[in-house]
Amino acid sequence: MHPNALLELCAELVDSLLLFDKPADALVSDFFRANKALGQRERHTIAETAYAVLRQRPLLQHLAQSGRGPMARRLAILAWAGNEAFLRGALKDEEQQWLKQVGSIDRAKLPEKLRHNLPDWLVEPLKARLGDEQFWQLADAVNAAAPLDLRVNLLKAKREEVQAALKDKGFNSTPTPYSPWGLRLDGKPALQKLDVFTSGQVEVQDEGSQLLSLLTEAKRGEMVVDFCAGAGGKTLALGAAMRNTGRLYAFDVSGHRLDKLKPRLARSGLSNVYPVQISNERDDRIKRLAGKIDRVLVDAPCSGLGTLRRNPDLKWRQSPDSVKELHDKQVAILNSAARLLKPGGRLVYATCSLLDAENEAVAQVFSEAHPDFTLQPAHEVLAHAQVNAEQAMALSDNGYLRLWPHRHHSDGFFAAVWERKK
């Protein structure tokens, strides 16, 4: 493909992403479906360039002011994530001069908001929580791309066997530092055609997400509910932990999301999973199971701000109002899910948010309203569930699980664990 044609495609995708009317990953998928002839390398360049624009939008829009031509093209030039010589082949002389001039600017001397590239409403609570030094470490971490984490399906293979099989195919991986099920690969290698993937030996799942399933500690023969199952990453981890015994209900209000679980379920070899579409958290099917369930995982709908490395558009699509709405929804979902548990049963509330409003604040409201539930120290639960005791402490904050991208090199996650009194 001619360099200029590739640059124009980058600009076209950037243009549609900056409308923020749909999740970025869905728009990128639609774009590639409409441009089927693109090769793997071209897709990589286009997607990574577009995501770089989302990560550094304030900075790049500021730098782009001094250029000429369509704004989306200027942004794509500044964010270019492909071969540099290839880019030069696409640029006019004046664009080359302009790019050189922009490259000489000392970015460390620019105003703060052009360095952290986060909206003001998000900066304030994060600085208050972390302090200045850690805030900047977090800003750097969430503005970088994430590696690819896999969860090994222990029903089908051991971690070291999968690691060796990946190495045979030229993919180097390292065991995840905290999860005993995980492997981490650099970049975004295409694994969908590999035997370890098609045979269900691995699933793509961030290490933080794996730790939520470990905290739930689902056992053989139990009745377990994944209350907001989505596409089922944690459902599959729970089913494998149960050694394919007992009953595992995967609830979600979205049939579309549950449909994405079906092919994954088929690969996994699990037969103990029952996907159930519910109308809302007060659905009659939930009432029928009240007081009968051993363990409930509530990975609640949230702002997703812990996943900015993968979904940088979220920082521009969320707002203080949407977070307030989510807080109220999270409390309602957690209250409803709690009714399912039998005495002695375990409740895990989790989000992939960085904000106290969706995390500690929700857990505190629940604890105050439910004296029949006792908060369990997250580090003790993790240590009981195969995580090294010292590492479990490093993941714990005030009795809760708290994962930060800059400290733990995973997505940002929160979890609280309660036991219903006997």
Side-chain angles (χ1 to χ4, degrees):
M1 178 180 281
H2 189 276
N4 192 55
L6 189 61
L7 180 58
E8 284 301 314
L9 283 170
C10 288
E12 189 186 324
L13 179 56
V14 165
D15 234 353
S16 66
L17 288 176
L18 291 180
L19 295 172
F20 299 114
D21 56 357
K22 239 176 124 175
D25 55 355
L27 282 168
V28 172
S29 295
D30 292 348
F31 185 83
F32 288 146
R33 261 198 298 278
N35 293 277
K36 284 198 169 73
L38 290 167
Q40 191 64 41
R41 192 173 295 176
E42 290 158 341
R43 284 166 183 256
H44 182 267
T45 296
I46 292 169
E48 290 304 309
T49 299
Y51 271 91
V53 172
L54 292 175
R55 285 194 179 98
Q56 303 183 46
R57 184 175 71 131
L59 170 67
L60 299 183
Q61 285 180 330
H62 170 77
L63 296 174
Q65 298 304 322
S66 60
R68 285 190 183 158
M71 177 55 89
R73 181 179 169 96
R74 281 180 263 163
L75 292 171
I77 291 169
L78 291 170
W80 182 258
N83 180 293
E84 278 190 39
F86 199 79
L87 173 65
R88 282 197 294 276
L91 299 183
K92 302 169 190 146
D93 286 348
E94 64 183 52
E95 287 175 324
Q96 302 224 30
Q97 285 300 109
W98 168 68
L99 189 58
K100 198 172 173 186
Q101 181 194 325
V102 169
S104 67
I105 292 169
D106 183 356
R107 296 185 181 194
K109 290 184 175 154
L110 290 170
E112 276 199 5
K113 68 177 182 183
L114 301 181
R115 288 186 284 128
H116 59 58
N117 289 289
L118 295 167
D120 293 340
W121 69 268
L122 191 51
V123 173
E124 286 169 37
L126 289 175
K127 271 195 175 179
R129 168 87 198 212
L130 292 168
D132 218 46
E133 188 183 338
Q134 291 233 10
F135 165 77
W136 284 102
Q137 289 172 17
L138 175 68
D140 288 344
V142 297
N143 284 318
L148 183 71
D149 287 357
L150 304 175
R151 178 186 57 81
V152 177
N153 178 0
L154 297 185
L155 287 179
K156 294 198 165 193
K158 291 189 169 75
R159 179 156 70 168
E160 54 274 21
E161 292 167 355
V162 171
Q163 195 178 8
L166 286 168
K167 196 167 172 56
D168 276 351
K169 298 290 181 192
F171 297 105
N172 284 327
S173 63
T174 51
T176 45
Y178 306 105
S179 166
W181 303 332
L183 288 171
R184 179 162 294 159
L185 290 94
D186 280 333
K188 294 199 175 101
L191 303 174
Q192 286 82 347
K193 294 192 173 89
L194 292 185
D195 282 351
V196 290
F197 186 81
T198 55
S199 66
Q201 292 176 52
V202 296
E203 273 293 333
V204 173
Q205 188 179 26
D206 183 77
E207 180 178 30
S209 186
Q210 295 177 36
L211 291 170
L212 302 185
S213 303
L214 276 158
L215 271 178
T216 310
E217 232 183 328
K219 299 270 200 303
R220 286 173 183 270
E222 288 186 332
M223 298 260 283
V224 179
V225 170
D226 186 352
F227 202 79
C228 308
K234 282 169 286 292
T235 307
L236 299 174
L238 292 168
M242 293 163 76
R243 309 304 293 173
N244 203 16
T245 63
R247 280 178 92 81
L248 172 55
Y249 295 97
F251 289 162
D252 205 274
V253 292
S254 164
H256 174 63
R257 280 199 294 266
L258 286 174
D259 283 343
K260 290 185 176 173
L261 168 58
K262 285 173 187 165
R264 302 175 81 183
L265 199 49
R267 281 199 306 272
S268 73
L270 293 173
S271 55
N272 64 339
V273 177
Y274 299 84
V276 182
Q277 186 179 352
I278 54 174
S279 52
N280 54 46
E281 72 271 11
R282 299 175 305 283
D283 195 293
D284 281 345
R285 278 164 290 198
I286 297 168
K287 286 180 189 160
R288 287 202 286 274
L289 290 170
K292 294 177 181 171
I293 303 298
D294 295 289
R295 293 165 200 271
V296 177
L297 170 59
V298 180
D299 183 12
C302 71
S303 63
L305 293 165
T307 68
L308 289 179
R309 301 181 307 164
R310 299 170 206 285
N311 304 298
D313 56 313
L314 289 174
K315 60 187 172 183
W316 311 121
R317 290 176 58 232
Q318 296 290 8
S319 68
D321 288 345
S322 65
V323 170
K324 169 75 179 82
E325 261 176 55
L326 283 162
H327 168 91
D328 297 343
K329 191 178 185 180
Q330 288 152 352
V331 170
I333 288 171
L334 188 53
N335 285 336
S336 184
R339 295 179 307 175
L340 290 166
L341 286 147
K342 58 167 71 161
R346 178 177 295 179
L347 175 64
V348 178
Y349 168 76
T351 75
C352 52
S353 173
L354 300 169
L355 297 174
D356 292 14
E358 298 181 82
N359 297 334
E360 288 86 353
V362 173
Q364 280 157 12
V365 167
F366 179 82
S367 286
E368 282 162 20
H370 295 269
D372 55 329
F373 280 80
T374 313
L375 193 69
Q376 307 291 302
H379 65 277
E380 287 178 16
V381 178
L382 278 174
H384 192 255
Q386 310 168 256
V387 176
N388 169 293
E390 201 175 312
Q391 289 182 313
M393 281 301 291
L395 301 170
S396 174
D397 186 348
N398 235 354
Y400 302 116
L401 175 83
R402 253 300 193 168
L403 294 173
W404 295 92
H406 66 294
R407 283 187 203 158
H408 305 108
H409 309 291
S410 73
D411 286 346
F413 276 98
F414 169 88
V417 186
W418 293 271
E419 187 177 290
R420 187 167 211 162
K421 288 179 184 169
K422 290 178 179 145

